Amino acid sequence: MVMIRPFKGIRPVQEKAAQVACKPYDVINKIEARQMAQGKENSFLHVIKPEIDLPDTMDEHAIDVYKKGIESFNKLLSNKVLFNDTTENIYIYAQTMDGRTQYGIMACASAEEYLNGTIKEHELTRPDKEEDRKNHIRYSNKNYEPVFFAYPAKKEIDEIVSSEIKKTPDYNFIADDGIGHHLWTISDKNTINSIVELFKKVPHTYVADGHHRSNAAAKVAKERKEANANHNGNEEYNFFLAVHFPDNQLKIFDYNRVVKDLNGLSASEFIEKLHKSFVVEEKGNNEYKPEKLHQMSMYLGSKWYSLSAKQGTYNDSDPIACLDVTILSEQLFEPILGIKDLRTDKRIDFVGGIRGLGELKKRVDSGEMAVAFALYAVSMKQLFDIADTNNIMPPKTTWFEPKLRSGLMIHSLI
């Protein structure tokens, strides 16, 4: 049984929604964010990546950075760019990309259900990023950005959504990346109650994207529970902002890897070691994308290669051992490159498939990275199977697109 809860949203006035909305904090770096926010005083990037408005010499996790984010948020409120809803609502948030639209229920999720496993996760988090998100919540008393959840599609919920979206949306705009964003407010109490009751028949929801935000929100809620002698479970800090999408509307993209060095090996020595676990085929200078599970592509020394995992390096009856990210870690990263912990090792970085293979090539050709690996995308079934068996995917295994736009809805914990 899943609990969702209506809430009083903080959000942009209609005519400025497109100005405020921005990409989420974790898909762009500081340089990109600074460029995107240049000349755009209403961009929510000033709130979620406040380091862009501070000197580069400042530690991005310094208290002054979080305070700067609060200052930027309060400025949007005082300038009447943002306003507070006066009633508790549920919202429908939809996104359109490449002619495909996905419709999500935006409501608060329960921190307790995250901690007890009703809300299921499939990835571990990186401690430094989790602490950063916790600090944003601690200092601001807000969920600045929603989490992306999936749930097994339910016909009755779909029918309510289909009825509600016939109404005029509050927001309806196309962002600068070509993705459409649409939002409707559901304020009718009977409709809200119907949605809440229908979610009680959903056995589990799943964190699709936003593990750090979910983990941070749940742990801050736990901190506040333990610090409050009069805690009753109904306080707003017990809930965090999420958009719940039916699984049959979602698409997972590949999530790729780049590594800074070859662990002291020459390119030829490195390739020679690959032959133990992979069938290695040189593919030339043209970008090469994996075509099926257990096949990966590699970019090294201005050339693309196909890496096909040999029999015995994976187990298709095991939800974790069948993953290509597992094969890559167990057969290549750890034994050859000496990368044992993907969560903490600074020699490895992750690139969402939406950026294309060209981004992998760019980072290697620039000299920043030595080698890049592209993987075949996992499926929703694989994700659910892993979460349902209480297993955990390696970090950065799934990339969902389109991303939730930040700044369209904020949840206050007080």
Side-chain angles (χ1 to χ4, degrees):
M1 184 176 80
V2 171
M3 176 195 301
I4 66 167
R5 170 162 146 154
F7 67 103
K8 296 177 181 179
I10 305 172
R11 56 194 179 103
V13 295
Q14 187 177 56
E15 64 272 18
K16 294 185 179 178
Q19 297 175 27
V20 175
C22 68
K23 292 186 176 181
Y25 85 98
D26 54 346
V27 301
I28 50 176
N29 59 37
K30 180 169 68 174
I31 295 172
E32 292 170 326
R34 186 173 283 155
Q35 292 172 342
M36 290 178 179
Q38 188 172 7
K40 300 176 181 177
E41 63 177 0
N42 291 336
S43 172
F44 210 65
L45 285 171
H46 297 291
V47 177
I48 59 172
K49 291 190 80 70
E51 60 269 24
I52 67 176
D53 296 318
L54 294 167
D56 284 333
T57 53
M58 181 172 288
D59 179 358
E60 291 185 11
H61 300 139
I63 292 175
D64 285 347
V65 175
Y66 303 110
K67 289 182 176 178
K68 185 65 176 177
I70 296 168
E71 178 187 316
S72 296
F73 179 85
N74 288 336
K75 182 179 177 182
L76 291 173
L77 269 180
S78 62
N79 288 344
K80 301 188 184 307
V81 175
L82 300 179
F83 73 98
N84 292 272
D85 273 329
T86 57
T87 59
E88 292 186 342
N89 309 311
I90 283 177
Y91 307 85
I92 297 173
Y93 174 37
Q95 303 156 296
T96 301
M97 175 181 173
D98 298 333
R100 176 180 63 89
T101 303
Q102 55 193 36
Y103 297 89
I105 300 292
M106 182 180 282
C108 281
S110 163
E112 183 62 32
E113 289 190 350
Y114 178 86
L115 294 171
N116 70 23
T118 300
I119 299 169
K120 296 195 173 191
E121 56 187 346
H122 65 272
E123 287 186 9
L124 295 173
T125 55
R126 298 182 70 154
D128 56 339
K129 292 188 176 183
E130 181 186 310
E131 189 64 22
D132 175 58
R133 291 303 102 186
K134 284 161 71 175
N135 282 335
H136 269 288
I137 298 170
R138 287 167 177 149
Y139 288 108
S140 70
N141 286 307
K142 293 175 181 65
N143 302 134
Y144 282 145
E145 300 177 277
V147 181
F148 190 136
F149 280 4
Y151 67 93
K154 195 167 187 62
K155 180 183 176 183
E156 295 89 343
I157 298 175
D158 291 344
E159 289 172 347
I160 293 176
V161 170
S162 294
S163 175
E164 290 295 323
I165 63 174
K166 293 176 182 177
K167 302 173 183 177
T168 303
D170 295 49
Y171 308 144
N172 188 23
F173 65 92
I174 298 175
D176 50 12
D177 57 4
I179 295 173
H181 299 271
H182 333 278
L183 185 137
W184 295 261
T185 300
I186 300 176
S187 56
D188 178 73
K189 289 185 178 180
N190 289 331
T191 306
I192 290 173
N193 289 337
S194 294
I195 295 172
V196 170
E197 290 302 312
L198 285 168
F199 266 92
K200 289 181 181 179
K201 299 177 182 179
V202 174
H204 298 283
T205 52
Y206 300 78
V207 181
D209 196 2
H211 285 79
H212 291 93
R213 276 163 280 177
S214 300
N215 211 324
K219 288 183 177 178
V220 170
K222 187 172 184 289
E223 290 174 359
R224 298 194 172 184
K225 173 184 176 180
E226 293 170 350
N228 182 5
N230 297 314
H231 173 87
N232 61 30
N234 199 46
E235 298 89 352
E236 206 63 35
Y237 61 70
N238 294 294
F239 303 90
F240 61 99
L241 185 57
V243 186
H244 307 72
F245 289 96
D247 61 334
N248 59 5
Q249 294 182 15
L250 300 179
K251 180 177 180 180
I252 304 177
F253 288 74
D254 44 309
Y255 213 153
N256 303 317
R257 280 94 166 101
V258 286
V259 180
K260 289 185 177 180
D261 60 73
L262 298 181
N263 200 25
L265 299 170
S266 67
S268 58
E269 290 171 333
F270 175 66
I271 291 174
E272 182 60 32
K273 287 183 176 292
L274 294 179
H275 287 285
K276 178 181 178 181
S277 300
F278 301 92
V279 176
V280 182
E281 298 178 65
E282 186 176 323
K283 293 294 183 178
N285 297 323
N286 294 328
E287 292 178 358
Y288 178 74
K289 190 175 180 67
E291 299 172 352
K292 58 185 178 181
L293 284 174
H294 309 329
Q295 182 188 70
M296 303 148 221
S297 65
M298 178 179 74
Y299 184 69
L300 173 68
S302 301
K303 293 181 181 178
W304 289 91
Y305 297 82
S306 166
L307 306 182
S308 298
K310 292 182 177 179
Q311 289 289 336
T313 61
Y314 55 88
N315 178 2
D316 281 336
S317 63
D318 184 305
I320 295 296
C322 73
L323 293 174
D324 288 349
V325 290
T326 302
I327 299 169
L328 199 61
S329 292
E330 293 183 351
Q331 305 297 327
L332 196 159
F333 287 158
E334 185 169 348
I336 300 176
L337 293 177
I339 297 173
K340 297 181 180 180
D341 189 344
L342 274 65
R343 299 172 65 213
T344 60
D345 199 305
K346 302 299 184 184
R347 295 167 55 217
I348 189 169
D349 198 8
F350 307 89
V351 181
I354 193 66
R355 289 179 176 258
L357 298 183
E359 179 69 12
L360 302 182
K361 182 178 184 296
K362 174 184 172 183
R363 295 186 69 174
V364 173
D365 287 348
S366 70
E368 176 198 3
M369 297 291 175
V371 62
F373 302 91
L375 294 90
Y376 192 78
V378 302
S379 66
M380 285 300 301
K381 182 180 184 303
Q382 285 180 301
L383 186 154
F384 280 11
D385 286 347
I386 286 168
D388 287 340
T389 53
N390 296 316
N391 279 298
I392 294 293
M393 285 183 178
K396 307 298 183 185
T397 299
T398 56
W399 181 280
F400 285 86
E401 199 71 39
K403 297 291 185 185
L404 304 182
R405 210 73 173 176
S406 296
L408 292 179
M409 192 67 65
I410 300 98
H411 168 238
S412 178
L413 306 189
I414 55 177

